[in-house]
Amino acid sequence: MSLVTLKAELRQQLKLSPQLLQSMEILQMNSQELLEYLGRLTEENPLLEQEDAPSLREAYEELRRRASWIDGGVYGATFTHAGNAPPERGAADRDLESLAAFLRDQLERRRLPKPLLALTKYIAQLVDEDGYLDGADLDGLRELKIPESLIRQALETVQSLDPAGVGARDLSECLLLQLARRENVSPAVMDIAARFLPELGKRRYGAIARELGLGIAEIQAAEQVIASLDPHPGRAFQPAEPAVYIRPDVFIVELDGVLTAVLNEYYLPRISISPYYTRLLRESDEKETRDYLRQKMQQAKWLLTSLDRRGGTLRRCAGAILEAQRPFFAGETRELAPMSLLSLSEALDLHPSTISRATRDKYLQCRQGTYPLRYFFSRAVGEEGHSRQAVKQRLLALVRQEDPRRPLSDQRLCELLAEEGVHVARRTVAKYRMELRLPASSARKR
């Protein structure tokens, strides 16, 4: 009996070309990263020529001439401090001390299959400064048709790294990941961390005790264990001197009386292809020289195409954000309209992963201040369709107006929001209050 068989099958496989990889990489870069990247490429490729960008002060003056409302108090500090000064000699490379670098180092020491290693490294790069993952980033991976089993395995791998709790998607998961590494943790502690954090924050020991069939003393003992955990496992990797200077990638300015999204491209050098080497490529009789110049010419053309795509995509995203949030930028309201990454991708006819890359780690500056571009993505909450940011703004206003001698409970806040037409659950109120770093009513009482 023969064990050798022949079988034909049809299978789809996604392969990324070097051009596409470069385009994706450039799209994800913020303004400072792109400036440094262009500097490296012009040193490596003789066909690339760059005309130095205007000084930061000249760039500011050019933008100021175009926009009617910008003043030195708003933009002067940004341009003054966001310069290209080299790092101080002897200063540590903070990129090597970052949480992402620490996670990558652990991953490289593990013998992981190449697809899993690549995905875990990518996820490690998405972890924020507190050590958390945004669920929207994982949704973006699913949009790329990456198998759910591989995403789950990569997430579990990242969550198994140090510090304990890293890679969690919310506070409860962060605490549970830390508890899982401890010995002799009682089931009560795990249950409370998983289901009763809002009640624990309000010290509603009786309600928790009734639900779990435990005594008050056991609940308080569990509270001590949970209090010993770190809700921000990534903060230990933040530099002693926090980075306070941000160069915005987009400005919302008023040009001729109309709000307009303007890309901050004033600081970038103008990249072009050297006419000397172009002529040499045509006229050289040496095959080795022509082959070398042909390769560098192709790289230069890929770069210029990628830069055009980045600028066009970012400009379209900024314009769509302006249109969706025009009342906010016009100063008519402090609340954002609901807008998701998916709705923006549908409006622009772009893949959600493209929108995710275009808006990641980039900032927008307007009258109201400087915000991450992702700040303007706010999912709808409740039947009325209010954005999460709008609900948080109203919740914050209610807490600021409360009588400090009789602070409002989460239930009362829920009722007051309902009177304003915002119907959300009490658990949602507790969650948003914690995200706003507002203590429970018992801790706010004065």
Side-chain angles (χ1 to χ4, degrees), residues 16-55:
L16 300 179
S17 65
Q19 303 96 307
L20 182 57
L21 286 171
Q22 183 184 44
S23 181
M24 292 165 58
E25 183 182 6
I26 288 177
L27 178 60
Q28 190 161 321
M29 292 178 183
N30 60 31
S31 57
Q32 184 61 39
E33 291 168 342
L34 181 59
L35 182 62
E36 296 169 357
Y37 180 73
L38 293 177
R40 291 197 302 271
L41 285 190
T42 51
E43 290 177 359
E44 298 170 359
N45 191 334
L47 271 71
L48 289 173
E49 288 186 347
Q50 68 173 15
E51 179 184 345
D52 290 340
S55 69

Side-chain angles (χ1 to χ4, degrees), residues 288-313:
E288 184 177 351
T289 300
R290 289 200 310 274
D291 290 344
Y292 172 78
L293 292 177
R294 190 176 293 111
Q295 177 191 9
K296 294 300 181 182
M297 174 67 76
Q298 191 65 51
Q299 292 177 357
K301 289 181 177 179
W302 288 348
L303 173 65
L304 295 179
T305 300
S306 298
L307 290 174
D308 286 342
R309 287 177 177 172
R310 177 189 183 274
T313 302

Side-chain angles (χ1 to χ4, degrees), residues 142-416:
R142 296 183 180 94
E143 293 287 345
L144 292 174
K145 306 302 182 184
I146 296 176
E148 183 67 30
S149 59
L150 183 59
I151 296 176
R152 184 167 57 251
Q153 187 179 5
L155 178 61
E156 291 173 354
T157 302
V158 171
Q159 291 180 342
S160 69
L161 303 176
D162 291 325
V166 73
R169 287 157 290 183
D170 54 43
L171 175 61
S172 180
E173 186 176 28
C174 177
L175 301 180
L176 289 172
L177 289 171
Q178 297 177 56
L179 290 170
R181 301 195 193 185
R182 293 195 177 189
E183 297 181 356
N184 303 321
V185 176
S186 70
V189 176
M190 302 292 287
D191 277 346
I192 293 173
R195 301 164 49 199
F196 298 102
L197 286 182
E199 289 80 0
L200 190 66
K202 293 184 291 186
R203 300 180 182 177
R204 295 181 59 186
Y205 304 130
I208 302 174
R210 285 191 297 272
E211 286 284 339
L212 299 179
L214 301 173
I216 299 297
E218 292 176 281
I219 303 299
Q220 292 175 333
E223 180 183 36
Q224 293 180 358
V225 175
I226 293 174
S228 68
L229 304 174
D230 187 357
H232 308 287
R235 288 194 177 178
F237 293 84
Q238 293 186 26
E241 298 178 5
V244 294
Y245 303 129
I246 292 173
R247 173 183 280 133
D249 300 87
V250 178
F251 297 114
I252 300 297
V253 297
E254 190 174 318
L255 301 178
D256 300 324
V258 179
L259 288 176
T260 308
V262 178
L263 297 193
N264 184 8
E265 296 178 330
Y266 302 98
Y267 65 93
L268 286 176
R270 294 175 176 84
I271 303 296
S272 60
I273 296 178
S274 167
Y276 168 76
Y277 284 104
T278 302
R279 186 171 62 254
L280 184 61
L281 173 61
R282 291 195 307 265
E283 300 174 356
S284 177
D285 296 328
E286 299 180 8
K287 182 179 182 303
E288 184 177 351
T289 300
R290 289 200 310 274
D291 290 344
Y292 172 78
L293 292 177
R294 190 176 293 111
Q295 177 191 9
K296 294 300 181 182
M297 174 67 76
Q298 191 65 51
Q299 292 177 357
K301 289 181 177 179
W302 288 348
L303 173 65
L304 295 179
T305 300
S306 298
L307 290 174
D308 286 342
R309 287 177 177 172
R310 177 189 183 274
T313 302
L314 186 55
R315 189 174 289 106
R316 290 182 65 193
C317 290
I321 290 173
L322 170 59
E323 288 304 315
Q325 309 294 351
R326 186 171 290 276
F328 173 85
F329 292 118
E332 298 170 3
T333 179
R334 297 179 60 185
E335 300 177 359
L336 297 180
M339 182 181 68
S340 67
L341 185 148
L342 183 59
S343 67
L344 187 60
S345 71
E346 292 174 350
L348 297 178
D349 195 23
L350 294 172
H351 198 278
S353 63
T354 301
I355 303 292
S356 179
R357 289 188 182 92
T359 56
R360 182 169 181 81
D361 294 331
K362 296 181 180 66
Y363 289 82
L364 178 149
Q365 191 162 8
C366 58
R367 280 192 181 103
Q368 292 79 358
T370 302
Y371 303 87
L373 275 180
R374 290 198 172 192
Y375 172 80
F376 299 99
F377 295 115
S378 191
R379 292 193 296 271
V381 177
E383 298 178 358
E384 299 82 5
H386 299 283
S387 71
R388 293 181 60 183
Q389 184 268 356
V391 177
K392 287 183 178 181
Q393 285 286 336
R394 298 189 187 188
L395 178 61
L396 184 61
L398 289 173
V399 172
R400 286 176 173 172
Q401 296 168 5
E402 70 183 2
D403 184 349
R405 295 171 296 180
R406 301 184 190 85
L408 301 170
S409 66
D410 288 345
Q411 181 59 43
R412 182 55 183 155
L413 288 169
C414 185
E415 294 168 356
L416 291 174

Side-chain angles (χ1 to χ4, degrees), residues 413-429:
L413 288 169
C414 185
E415 294 168 356
L416 291 174
L417 286 172
E419 293 175 5
E420 297 183 8
V422 181
H423 295 85
V424 292
R426 182 185 57 79
R427 287 182 178 272
T428 303
V429 170

